[in-house]
Amino acid sequence: MIRAFRLVFVRELTVAFRRWSDLVLPLVFFVIVCTLFPLAVGQNAKILQEVGPGAIWVAALLATLLSLNSLFREDFEDGSLEQLALTTEPLSLLLLAKTLAHWVVTELPLVVIAPVLALGFGMPASGVTGLVLTLLVGTPALSLIGAVGAALTAGLRGASGLLALLLLPLTVPVLIFGARAAALAGEGHSIAGPLYLLGGITMLALTLTPFATAAAVRVSLD
Amino acid sequence: MDTSSFKLEWRNLSLWRGDRCLQTGLSGAVEKGEAVTLRGPNGCGKTTLLRTLCGLSQAEEGEILWQEQPTRKIRTTFHAHLAYSGHVNGLKSDLTTRENLHFAASMHGRHTNQNDLLHGLGLMACADLPVRNLSAGQRRRASLALVLGSGTELWVLDEPYTNLDTAGCEWLARRLNDHLAMGGLLLLAAHQGSGIRPERETLIELAGVGQ
């Protein structure tokens, strides 16, 4: 079981790095939004500091939505998804490996580059730490919840709009806790509470969504 | 396990595609050393039947039994004996043929000699090229390699001869007959001749869907 998980994970990473042009699109989108924001809002340092965490979190959420479209689409079209569904390994585990690989190649770069972009908003050091922590704990939940939607819409043509509509209500709690905690950190408060809650959402998503994703994939294949 | 009892049986199946009824009351079985070939006009439900028997689609009605047990209940056991090759090839286009085969073999926990297989399929020269650079026929061969190298008993092939050249067709027919001779089971959809020895083959003609 662990071996199958590792096999799928490694294959996903290999495929992702062979076509890195697809990989950088969400990252470029994230960077563009986060650099345009300070330019458009203007010189007022106080306002920038206040909107910074929220803007960066929204950009991260939208960049995730952008990348989720292709999570299962290609596997659906080239038949690898049905081959995965016909193995003896639990489908939920194999899809979790795919989702984890998706997080590593699309979300982790966002987390890494976020501190640099936070400078553009003039965020204090404590705020930057808070932002990175909340993104690190919160973005796995975005990938996991997103995988369910991506699995449901894998067989549909032109479903990008539908996917966004499906996922936005489910991802809003992550956004609220993440952005709010990052803002609190910037004001010098302790963020242990919201961070734990965010971790709780991620754990909940980790335990429940793989089964939903597997069921959704079976429906899409039918 | 008693290998002599390998048998896939389906009783009274109804197939639907969306709100269109394709077939009703389909029954049949394939046993050790036997091939069942599905024939019929386009759109009559050959692919749907194969996918339903594999467990990829749900049957509206009827039951599918593997060794007398419903496949829905023993999915893992059933899939351990099954290899399927459909219209789409199941290969990642960014990986090489060798990597694709290695992944499939590892997933099934086998480390077979890939070179023999690649050689037989005439894919040796392009084994280390990404699948996207292969021709349609070569891709079909690579996709068949997933099934031929799987080591499973039941092979389900949807139009396996598509895109193959004459030599490829002959080679495939020989391999399919070998598989049957070794006690394998075969389910296939084929427009042209299936290349299976007549004494081992059962034909199922599916009627066209009513206009």
Side-chain angles (χ1 to χ4, degrees), chain A residues 39-133:
Chain A
L39 291 178
V41 170
Q43 296 281 321
N44 193 328
K46 193 168 172 302
I47 295 179
L48 269 183
Q49 271 187 28
E50 275 175 15
V51 299
I56 293 178
W57 254 95
V58 169
L61 175 60
L62 293 180
T64 308
L65 283 181
L66 197 65
S67 66
L68 277 171
N69 241 323
S70 56
L71 180 54
F72 296 123
R73 176 67 43 82
E74 198 186 313
D75 282 33
F76 181 81
E77 281 166 5
D78 68 17
S80 3
L81 212 49
E82 60 191 25
Q83 293 297 338
L84 283 187
L86 290 176
T87 59
T88 50
E89 308 292 339
L91 184 59
S92 50
L93 193 79
L94 304 181
L95 296 176
L96 180 62
K98 263 190 77 73
T99 313
L100 183 64
H102 170 264
W103 181 77
V104 169
V105 296
T106 62
E107 308 277 316
L108 204 51
L110 303 190
V111 180
V112 172
I113 208 159
V116 182
L117 299 169
L119 290 180
F121 290 89
M123 283 165 64
S126 62
V128 176
T129 320
L131 180 71
V132 171
L133 275 177

Side-chain angles (χ1 to χ4, degrees), chain B residues 73-84:
Chain B
K73 294 209 177 114
I74 52 156
R75 188 148 66 192
T76 310
T77 322
F78 177 51
H79 285 172
H81 298 285
L82 170 80
Y84 168 76

Side-chain angles (χ1 to χ4, degrees), chain A residues 28-38 55 58-59 62 121:
Chain A
V28 168
F29 174 83
F30 181 66
V31 171
I32 289 176
V33 172
C34 291
T35 44
L36 285 184
F37 222 92
V58 169
L62 293 180
F121 290 89

Side-chain angles (χ1 to χ4, degrees), chain B residues 16-92:
Chain B
W16 289 71
R17 217 58 208 129
D19 51 5
R20 244 167 13 113
C21 179
L22 299 180
Q23 300 285 340
T24 50
L26 290 178
S27 296
V30 55
E31 283 184 72
K32 202 169 173 270
E34 271 185 15
V36 166
T37 307
L38 305 178
R39 293 257 175 96
N42 292 132
C44 70
K46 297 187 291 292
T47 297
T48 310
L49 178 56
L50 292 184
R51 289 179 67 88
T52 306
L53 292 177
C54 287
L56 286 171
S57 298
Q58 298 299 318
E60 205 75 15
E61 232 184 290
E63 53 183 356
I64 304 161
L65 307 168
W66 172 251
Q67 295 175 293
E68 313 288 324
Q69 285 171 298
T71 51
R72 209 181 315 169
K73 294 209 177 114
I74 52 156
R75 188 148 66 192
T76 310
T77 322
F78 177 51
H79 285 172
H81 298 285
L82 170 80
Y84 168 76
S85 167
H87 280 292
V88 281
N89 51 37
L91 305 162
K92 296 297 310 168

Side-chain angles (χ1 to χ4, degrees), chain B residues 189-205:
Chain B
H191 277 301
Q192 305 91 353
S194 62
I196 310 289
R197 289 196 196 95
E199 67 271 20
R200 292 197 182 275
E201 188 181 33
T202 313
L203 276 177
I204 294 186
E205 293 276 352

Side-chain angles (χ1 to χ4, degrees), chain B residues 113-133:
Chain B
N113 187 357
Q114 288 179 14
N115 283 343
D116 287 351
L117 196 59
L118 287 167
H119 200 73
L121 281 159
L123 287 174
M124 213 49 188
C126 50
D128 294 310
L129 283 179
V131 167
R132 68 161 81 245
N133 296 349

